[in-house]
Amino acid sequence: MELFKTMREFDYENVVLCYDKTSDLKAVIAIHDTTLGPALGGCRMWTYDTEEDAINDALRLARGMTYKNAAAGLNLGGAKTVVIGNPRKDKSEALFRSLGRFIEGLNGRYITAEDVGTNMKDMDYISMETNYVAGLAEKSGDPSPFTAYGVFRGIQAACEEVFGTTELSGKTVAIQGVGNVGYNLAKYLHDVGTRLIITDIFEDNVKRAASEFNAEYVKPDDIYGVDCDIFAPCALGAVINDETIPHLKCKIVAGSSNNQLKEEKHGEILQEKGILYVPDFIINAGGVINVAEELHPSGYNKERAMRKVSMVYDNVKKVIQKSKQENIPTCIAADMVAEERIKTIAGIRDNFIKKV
């Protein structure tokens, strides 16, 4: 891959390759932008096919975090860490403590948290080596329920636009991936009377959700073609593409996974097909909003965090409105909302303020 060409094209600040022989750590830390503040983004662990795939994923996710944090109104930049390895087999205290030392070496430019394939225990190990980690058990804790609640509120906003009501009782939602976030989203939807169709590559996730929420299970490849009102991708990215779009039988695409569109053109195709796409970094910001509350001067407050996460509803409505006003796909409208905030804050007069 032409790494520096990509960094120049999308204006990345840093890409750090981390290796430790003792723990067999192989990780990538990508810092996209710190205009608004230190870069906050989770640590993902996954079995990538190639090292290039891992680097590309870190780059895409880091840029997405810049836009997510900006659009959510946070004074934080965007970054991401990916650890190459099987999250069910390859974890160790040494691995995450080694990663923590690399993060400490960035001197506060990057703050990590849990993501796909990692959990609070892993963050506890990282915290043994650095203070630049959020989402610890004694603070904001597991971000998954907050991410899921934000997605739930975003789905309500989308339903109001498409169906004229926020009422989800009787609607059918197909959830792709019922891990931490997907499971919590299923719970919120089940509690308001939504019919659920689910899939997941892990059998234990399927059994739990099917049992607790009376959800119908379909095979992973069949989820795209089910009859539903809302398709909610809650696994990995690039699932909205040339192969899957022709199978969609929904009115709304709204889920928690990052980088759902394989390419920007796929957002345009959804618009042409009359399917409302809720941009992922707008609707899945609940987790990072909650984690960011740890940085509040008065300390973390769960009630305040939930109020802010609920505002994902308003952010989704803002993007939909801009899309309609400009006659552009929602994916482009969302980028504009984020870019406008970054540009505005970056352009504020740099008055001298004495540091104490």
Side-chain angles (χ1 to χ4, degrees):
M1 65 181 299
E2 296 182 271
L3 180 56
F4 286 108
K5 180 180 178 181
T6 301
M7 291 180 70
R8 181 172 60 251
E9 181 180 359
F10 296 105
D11 202 21
Y12 288 88
E13 295 180 9
N14 295 92
V15 178
V16 182
L17 304 181
C18 311
Y19 174 70
D20 177 66
K21 184 176 181 179
T22 299
S23 64
D24 198 32
L25 171 73
K26 296 182 286 290
V28 183
I29 301 174
I31 299 176
H32 177 247
D33 187 280
T34 56
T35 300
L36 297 176
L40 174 64
C43 172
R44 171 169 296 194
M45 188 171 186
W46 198 252
T47 51
Y48 294 94
D49 292 333
T50 67
E51 294 173 2
E52 184 174 335
D53 287 346
I55 294 171
N56 279 326
D57 202 28
L59 291 169
R60 286 194 299 266
L61 292 167
R63 186 164 179 260
M65 287 304 303
T66 294
Y67 282 69
K68 180 189 295 188
N69 293 340
L74 303 176
N75 294 317
L76 296 164
K80 207 77 170 184
T81 295
V82 300
V83 177
I84 301 172
N86 187 327
R88 297 198 167 200
K89 297 179 180 179
D90 299 333
K91 290 184 179 183
S92 70
E93 174 185 352
L95 184 141
F96 286 104
R97 290 187 68 167
S98 176
L99 177 61
R101 294 188 180 191
F102 281 104
I103 293 170
E104 177 67 15
L106 293 170
N107 200 32
R109 297 190 67 245
Y110 168 57
I111 303 167
T112 196
E114 70 176 83
D115 199 275
V116 174
T118 62
N119 55 38
M120 283 187 287
K121 182 178 179 181
D122 306 325
M123 298 305 107
D124 286 340
Y125 286 139
I126 292 174
S127 72
M128 293 178 182
E129 304 295 339
T130 182
N131 289 324
Y132 302 119
V133 55
L136 301 176
E138 67 272 17
K139 295 183 180 178
S140 65
D142 180 7
S144 301
F146 298 88
T147 302
Y149 182 60
V151 174
F152 173 76
R153 291 289 286 146
I155 288 175
Q156 286 184 314
C159 282
E160 185 173 47
E161 175 66 23
V162 173
F163 302 114
T165 177
T166 61
E167 178 61 55
L168 292 169
S169 176
K171 295 286 189 298
T172 299
V173 179
I175 304 178
Q176 181 188 45
V178 281
N180 291 338
V181 176
Y183 168 84
N184 281 285
L185 175 61
K187 184 178 188 304
Y188 282 118
L189 292 168
H190 175 263
D191 288 348
V192 296
T194 306
R195 173 176 173 251
L196 299 174
I197 303 173
I198 62 169
T199 196
D200 198 291
I201 61 173
F202 296 116
E203 184 178 357
D204 52 343
N205 288 345
V206 170
K207 287 182 177 180
R208 178 177 65 162
S211 172
E212 294 185 25
F213 309 129
N214 193 32
E216 175 187 345
Y217 166 74
V218 297
K219 295 179 180 179
D221 288 341
D222 294 337
I223 194 70
Y224 303 104
V226 301
D227 286 309
C228 61
D229 299 295
I230 301 111
F231 172 51
C234 296
L236 295 180
V239 297
I240 305 299
N241 53 56
D242 290 337
E243 290 72 37
T244 61
I245 289 177
H247 298 285
L248 295 179
K249 299 176 182 177
C250 59
K251 292 293 185 182
I252 298 167
V253 173
S256 67
S257 61
N258 291 304
N259 302 315
Q260 293 168 28
L261 304 179
K262 186 172 183 180
E263 299 176 53
E264 186 176 274
K265 71 174 184 179
H266 296 120
E268 299 171 0
I269 295 172
L270 289 181
Q271 184 185 43
E272 292 169 0
K273 290 175 66 69
I275 298 174
L276 174 60
Y277 168 63
V278 182
D280 43 50
F281 68 83
I282 300 294
I283 196 172
N284 69 11
V288 73
I289 292 171
N290 177 60
V291 165
E293 278 299 295
E294 290 188 17
L295 308 178
H296 194 279
S298 64
Y300 179 74
N301 179 280
K302 183 177 180 180
E303 289 70 28
R304 185 177 62 229
M306 285 296 284
R307 288 196 300 271
K308 291 184 177 181
V309 171
S310 186
M311 291 176 65
V312 167
Y313 176 94
D314 303 289
N315 293 339
V316 170
K317 297 287 283 186
K318 182 191 301 183
V319 168
I320 292 173
Q321 186 62 27
K322 191 169 192 65
S323 170
K324 292 164 68 175
Q325 288 176 344
E326 304 285 344
N327 193 27
I328 54 176
T330 52
C331 59
I332 297 176
D335 285 351
M336 290 175 65
V337 168
E339 289 165 356
E340 286 169 4
R341 181 167 183 259
I342 294 171
K343 183 178 180 180
T344 298
I345 300 303
I348 291 176
R349 182 184 294 275
D350 188 18
N351 293 340
F352 174 75
I353 300 177
K354 184 177 179 179
K355 305 296 183 183
V356 178

